[in-house]
Amino acid sequence: MLYRELGRTGFKVSEISFGAWAIGGSWGTVSDGESLAALHQAIDSGVNFLDTADVYGMGRSERLIAQLKKDRKEEIVVATKAGRKLSPHTVDGYTAENLTGFVEESLRNLQTECLDLVQLHCPPTDAYYRAEVFGALDDLVQAGKIRYYGVSVQRVEEALKAIEFPNVQSVQIIFNCFRTRPAELFFAQAQERKVGILARVPLASGMLTGKLNRNSQFAEDDHRTFNRHGERFDQGETFSGVDYDTALAAVEEIRKLVSPGVSMSQFALRWILMFDAVTCAIPGGKRPEQVAENCAASDLPALPAETMQALRSVYDTYIRKSVHTRW
Ligand SMILES: NC(=O)c1ccc[n+]([C@@H]2O[C@H](COP(=O)([O-])OP(=O)(O)OC[C@H]3O[C@@H](n4cnc5c(N)ncnc54)[C@H](OP(=O)(O)O)[C@@H]3O)[C@@H](O)[C@H]2O)c1
């Protein structure tokens, strides 16, 4: 496993890290035993950075991580998120009082005195025009409740606006073979300001693993059933916002580019690591085998220029029209 600097925080984090949404909920039934095994596998594979949120299973994901931290002696950096408990989820809810309440609850769930990194959890775009939201986060740093803060965004424009706030240390954004626009303008600006980038949904919700087909079934409580068209939250979070059949067709083209002995998941993750501006990819994993497979992407050699070009063509042919200007 190789490690990269996370912005100006001084943390050196595994370039393949771990996304802990699925072990909390919204991805069908998961057992805490298997989720803990997946977390342990991540640490065994060299992962030292975990991304979670207060709303993943309403604290379940954070509590599993607290359990893991009790069981392991390695240093583990935990990024959590705040804001999505607001109902309705409006910018006016991002007050100092509410943010402090969310942070206090995450401190309890994670059984710690100070949170390593707190990210605003895809707030409405207007939050990036309210300096007082970031002022409230500065106060939480001053109070010793959080070490650093960052944002998780839906759109490139939100990312560009967020990094104007000098204490934003990280931006989490969807970046994968089906979502390439962040690399155009945002990556260079983030690098210039030394802001870390967490590439989320790196496998397009499992689509880029190459295991799905037209007959794949998902549980009722899996967002790949209930949010396929953006019914519950932003459509971009499910299959990266790409129409299911179009995504399957693109995956068949990508499959032809993958070298023998490499899995499609590893190939998709290695593509992300080709971008120096990215601090880490945070693939979700529900089972230890998935986690071990994904982590091995860090050991692969760089992808050749012609493969990168071929992936660009797949994107241009199948994906660009429906996603490029949307996020
Ligand atoms: N708004 C936000 O801030 C936000 C939104 C989304 C995600 N995130 C973060 O980003 C992380 C990653 O995104 P994601 O979990 O949505 O999507 P993802 O990483 O693209 O896909 C994860 C899913 O793919 C399947 N999978 C993973 N590795 C596999 C392998 N090697 N072989 C076969 N299947 C595999 C698993 O589901 P199955 O086994 O069920 O197929 C897994 O749950 C999240 O966990 C979360 O931490 C944040």
Side-chain angles (χ1 to χ4, degrees):
M1 178 65 75
L2 298 177
Y3 298 81
R4 299 187 183 191
E5 302 275 350
L6 176 63
R8 309 169 309 276
T9 62
F11 295 136
K12 271 195 101 177
V13 303
S14 43
E15 60 182 16
I16 301 294
S17 287
F18 182 89
W21 179 16
I23 63 168
S26 306
W27 288 77
T29 304
V30 279
S31 86
D32 287 351
E34 182 127 71
S35 297
L36 267 174
L39 284 167
H40 277 286
Q41 178 61 60
I43 307 305
D44 291 343
S45 301
V47 169
N48 69 348
F49 181 77
L50 312 174
D51 177 73
T52 183
D54 54 1
V55 289
Y56 294 166
M58 280 302 165
R60 184 183 187 188
S61 174
E62 288 183 326
R63 287 190 292 271
L64 283 167
I65 289 171
Q67 181 62 50
L68 173 81
K69 287 192 70 169
K70 253 193 216 156
D71 295 346
R72 303 292 297 225
K73 59 180 184 334
E74 292 87 344
E75 214 165 289
I76 301 169
V77 178
V78 180
T80 192
K81 310 191 196 78
R84 285 276 160 171
K85 280 188 187 152
L86 291 169
S87 180
H89 180 238
T90 62
V91 68
D92 289 335
Y94 280 77
T95 61
E97 193 187 355
N98 285 336
L99 286 171
T100 304
F102 300 148
V103 162
E104 293 287 0
E105 212 163 320
S106 287
L107 286 168
R108 280 193 292 278
N109 284 333
L110 284 161
Q111 295 179 35
T112 182
E113 303 286 298
C114 180
L115 302 173
D116 296 326
L117 179 72
V118 171
Q119 306 156 96
L120 297 179
H121 199 166
C122 294
T125 308
D126 268 1
Y128 301 103
Y129 293 83
R130 295 200 182 180
E132 61 271 27
V133 174
F134 295 86
L137 293 169
D138 285 328
D139 289 345
L140 284 163
V141 173
Q142 280 298 318
K145 302 275 181 196
I146 68 182
R147 206 154 284 137
Y148 298 109
Y149 64 81
V151 295
S152 182
V153 300
Q154 242 124 35
R155 298 178 177 144
V156 170
E157 285 62 34
E158 293 165 341
L160 288 166
K161 184 70 182 138
I163 61 174
E164 287 182 16
F165 293 96
N167 297 327
V168 166
Q169 303 282 352
S170 62
V171 171
Q172 180 177 139
I173 192 162
I174 298 181
F175 183 62
N176 60 41
C177 304
F178 288 172
R179 186 71 74 85
T180 64
R181 191 162 157 262
E184 284 178 4
L185 175 63
F186 168 60
F187 279 9
Q189 301 233 350
Q191 252 181 326
E192 200 175 300
R193 290 171 197 254
K194 292 200 167 43
V195 173
I197 294 175
L198 314 182
R200 81 163 177 271
V201 194
L203 301 171
S205 313
M207 179 58 79
L208 287 167
T209 67
K211 70 178 178 181
L212 302 180
N213 59 51
R214 293 191 84 160
N215 303 319
S216 299
Q217 300 281 332
F218 305 98
E220 284 294 300
D221 57 347
D222 187 323
H223 71 103
R224 292 169 293 186
T225 298
F226 68 72
N227 194 55
R228 208 175 272 199
H229 307 288
E231 294 89 336
R232 290 267 288 281
F233 42 81
D234 192 276
Q235 189 184 355
E237 308 296 349
T238 303
F239 298 127
S240 206
V242 180
D243 157 73
Y244 192 78
D245 289 337
T246 307
L248 287 178
V251 162
E252 286 320 306
E253 294 301 319
I254 295 174
R255 203 186 293 281
K256 296 175 192 160
L257 305 173
V258 181
S259 308
V262 174
S263 74
M264 276 202 73
S265 314
Q266 291 166 340
F267 180 82
L269 294 168
R270 190 64 187 88
W271 179 86
I272 292 171
L273 299 180
M274 293 296 289
F275 297 80
D276 292 341
V278 170
T279 308
C280 60
I282 48 168
K286 291 152 118 180
R287 286 181 284 285
E289 313 82 65
Q290 293 177 338
V291 174
E293 178 185 336
N294 297 342
C295 288
S298 174
D299 303 330
L300 295 177
L303 300 182
E306 56 271 24
T307 304
M308 295 301 283
Q309 180 52 45
L311 276 161
R312 263 193 295 278
S313 300
V314 173
Y315 179 81
D316 289 345
T317 308
Y318 291 88
I319 311 293
R320 177 179 284 276
K321 190 162 164 255
S322 62
V323 311
H324 204 72
T325 53
R326 241 178 120 186
W327 290 282

